[in-house]
Amino acid sequence: MSAMETTTALPKIISVDDHTVEPSDVWQNRLPKKYLDTGPRIVRAPLKEISFLGGRFKPVMGAPGDDGPLGDWWLYEGLQRPLTRLDTAVGYSRDEIKLEVITYEQMRPGSYDVPQRLADMDVNHVQSAVCFPTFPRFCGQTFTEAKDHELGLLCVQAYNDWMVEEWCGPDAQGRLIPLTLIPLWDAELAAAEVRRNAARGVRAVAFSEIPPHLGLPSVHSDDWDPFLAACDETGTVISMHIGSSSRMPSTSADAPPAVGSTITFANCCFSMVDWLMSGKFERFPNLKVMYAEGQIGWIPYILERADVVWEENRGWGGVADKVHRPPSEIFTEHVYGCFFDDAFGLKNLDAIGVGNVLYETDYPHSDSTWPKSREVGEAQMGHLDADVVERIVRGNAIDLLGLTPDGLWGGPK
């Protein structure tokens, strides 16, 4: 009997890592008038040149009338950032997906339109989804790097208001689960924003997997404690997407993108060791972190190694006074790995923990399993018992994100 014949059909998916392409008016509709000329806005312009080497994305916008393919570009202070096919690739064959600029008309409408997104979720056997940003980048780095932090804070708040009130608003029928941003440059302001959104039912916030790559303090410092305390008190899950440190793993400045794509999990690996050795989970016992698109196959060895280091080297390793249990035990209570295509990890599920694994579809990115996430899941999870599959595909997400028993967001409180 084949693996597919030994299991029930995959239950409706709750994807903890999808993406939204923000509509062009998100900030123009919400910022004070004095900021409309410097805040985020869309223009259509030609591309002069573009590259993505060594993990660095470098687009150059042409002047009006120049030759070159037209694309829609976000302008913000001095930033010029185009929409690209890598932002939204679903609906195109793998061979058609190239590093190129596009317009809103050249993307699948489900990338930015709520009813169309729900329709695409239906096609993909997805009930509910958490969506990371595109223009702000995965944890709001765009606003952190800006010169005017007064405007940056307004941009963060405007995004969060749009996320809660429109993207996850009534038209979403509870099927889109809000993920909000914080002003990363100020932990006190970040804490206030966590509490502001938690008061209206938000239970997930984006954060950087390796903050020092952004010029920010590490999790080993006390600088983030106000933010961590707010997450601990409100039950807000810290969600870290690969690339949320603005530095994708690579090996050299001229390494092709395929090198970085192969080792994208590395940042999650480094980050998880940081958190497990930081002592923060002992100081903030309700804190939980989630790694989006990091896959899970690497986790068992890292936990094994971390336990060995803690057992044998904690005396001189700088953790004896703050990490009082084996890291693998801490992991079980506080850390969640997310995957969409990881047969090896699923074969080693016992070494990770059924309760620490979440499913995702990565819509609308080029890696997405859309529109066949159900088939991929059934093929890779066919050897697992039905109750285990249910936990991975939806049950763990319901518990972690405080969803209704039916897997929906309850809406603003």
Side-chain angles (χ1 to χ4, degrees):
M1 184 176 291
S2 71
M4 286 294 294
E5 294 172 322
T6 64
T7 185
T8 56
L10 203 75
K12 278 295 188 77
I13 297 164
I14 297 178
S15 174
V16 295
D17 171 31
D18 286 355
H19 300 265
T20 176
V21 176
E22 299 80 18
S24 62
D25 60 0
V26 167
W27 289 276
Q28 292 291 298
N29 283 351
R30 290 169 181 79
L31 291 176
K33 288 184 178 180
K34 69 176 183 177
Y35 288 121
L36 294 184
D37 291 336
T38 52
R41 59 208 182 277
I42 284 284
V43 301
R44 186 158 293 182
L47 172 72
K48 185 175 182 180
E49 58 185 84
I50 191 169
S51 65
F52 190 6
L53 290 174
R56 298 291 183 178
F57 176 48
K58 295 182 179 179
V60 180
M61 188 174 80
D66 285 354
D67 291 334
L70 286 176
D72 285 334
W73 296 69
W74 283 105
L75 304 185
Y76 171 49
E77 292 189 338
L79 177 66
Q80 300 174 345
R81 197 282 193 193
L83 298 177
T84 76
R85 178 58 62 210
L86 299 188
D87 294 326
T88 170
V90 292
Y92 290 79
S93 73
R94 298 295 185 192
D95 291 336
E96 292 177 305
I97 300 171
K98 296 177 171 53
L99 184 59
E100 60 183 354
V101 298
I102 60 170
T103 66
Y104 280 96
E105 290 81 8
Q106 293 172 303
M107 67 177 75
R108 194 170 181 87
S111 303
Y112 58 85
D113 180 83
V114 170
Q116 293 293 329
R117 172 59 65 93
L118 299 188
D120 280 354
M121 290 163 62
D122 289 339
V123 168
N124 201 32
H125 197 64
V126 172
Q127 179 192 35
S128 308
V130 176
C131 295
F132 283 83
T134 296
F135 170 70
R137 311 218 298 279
F138 295 143
C139 66
Q141 304 103 295
T142 297
F143 305 128
T144 301
E145 294 168 359
K147 295 178 181 178
D148 186 342
H149 277 167
E150 179 181 353
L151 171 57
L153 177 59
L154 292 173
C155 287
V156 167
Q157 293 171 335
Y159 176 87
N160 291 342
D161 291 344
W162 169 79
M163 168 62 60
V164 174
E165 297 165 8
E166 291 197 36
W167 185 251
C168 301
D171 288 349
Q173 305 169 27
R175 297 177 62 188
L176 295 174
I177 304 160
L179 171 73
T180 51
L181 303 176
I182 55 169
L184 290 162
W185 59 90
D186 188 313
E188 293 286 355
L189 291 176
E193 190 63 12
V194 167
R195 292 189 174 96
R196 182 176 84 93
N197 292 304
R200 47 186 179 172
V202 176
R203 290 295 176 267
V205 64
F207 191 63
S208 173
E209 81 253 274
I210 308 177
H213 286 348
L214 303 177
L216 299 170
S218 79
V219 296
H220 300 289
S221 74
D222 295 332
D223 297 75
W224 294 108
D225 285 3
F227 164 65
L228 301 183
C231 293
D232 179 78
E233 293 164 11
T234 60
T236 300
V237 179
I238 296 176
S239 305
M240 295 172 281
H241 196 286
I242 58 167
S244 55
S245 61
S246 296
R247 190 184 300 178
M248 292 298 288
S250 191
T251 55
S252 64
D254 59 349
V259 172
S261 293
T262 303
I263 57 175
T264 50
F265 71 92
N267 280 359
C268 293
C269 173
F270 299 159
S271 176
M272 189 180 81
V273 175
D274 252 356
W275 280 91
L276 291 176
M277 297 298 188
S278 70
K280 297 301 182 184
F281 293 127
E282 305 216 18
R283 293 186 54 205
F284 302 102
N286 297 316
L287 202 60
K288 297 184 186 298
V289 303
M290 177 185 89
Y291 287 102
E293 207 173 323
Q295 312 302 339
I296 59 175
W298 52 272
I299 291 176
Y301 172 70
I302 295 300
L303 293 179
E304 177 184 284
R305 177 60 184 165
D307 280 358
V308 169
V309 170
W310 179 83
E311 183 67 38
E312 297 182 355
N313 302 331
R314 63 179 179 267
W316 63 266
V319 296
D321 61 338
K322 56 185 178 181
V323 180
H324 303 132
R325 293 185 294 155
S328 62
E329 292 184 15
I330 299 172
F331 170 90
T332 299
E333 297 176 9
H334 297 278
V335 183
Y336 296 78
C338 311
F339 79 99
F340 58 80
D341 186 4
D342 192 339
F344 181 82
L346 289 167
K347 291 175 183 175
N348 294 276
L349 191 60
D350 288 346
I352 303 169
V354 172
N356 298 87
V357 175
L358 306 167
Y359 199 47
E360 59 183 55
T361 76
D362 198 31
Y363 179 107
H365 284 182
S366 60
D367 279 341
S368 178
T369 51
W370 187 92
K372 297 185 177 181
S373 299
R374 177 179 186 169
E375 291 86 343
V376 171
E378 287 179 342
Q380 294 195 348
M381 290 183 256
H383 64 290
L384 301 174
D385 292 340
D387 62 329
V388 173
V389 175
E390 194 279 337
R391 288 188 67 183
I392 293 172
V393 171
R394 58 185 291 110
N396 290 337
I398 289 173
D399 293 342
L400 180 64
L401 298 171
L403 306 180
T404 70
D406 294 327
L408 302 174
W409 181 52
K413 300 298 187 288

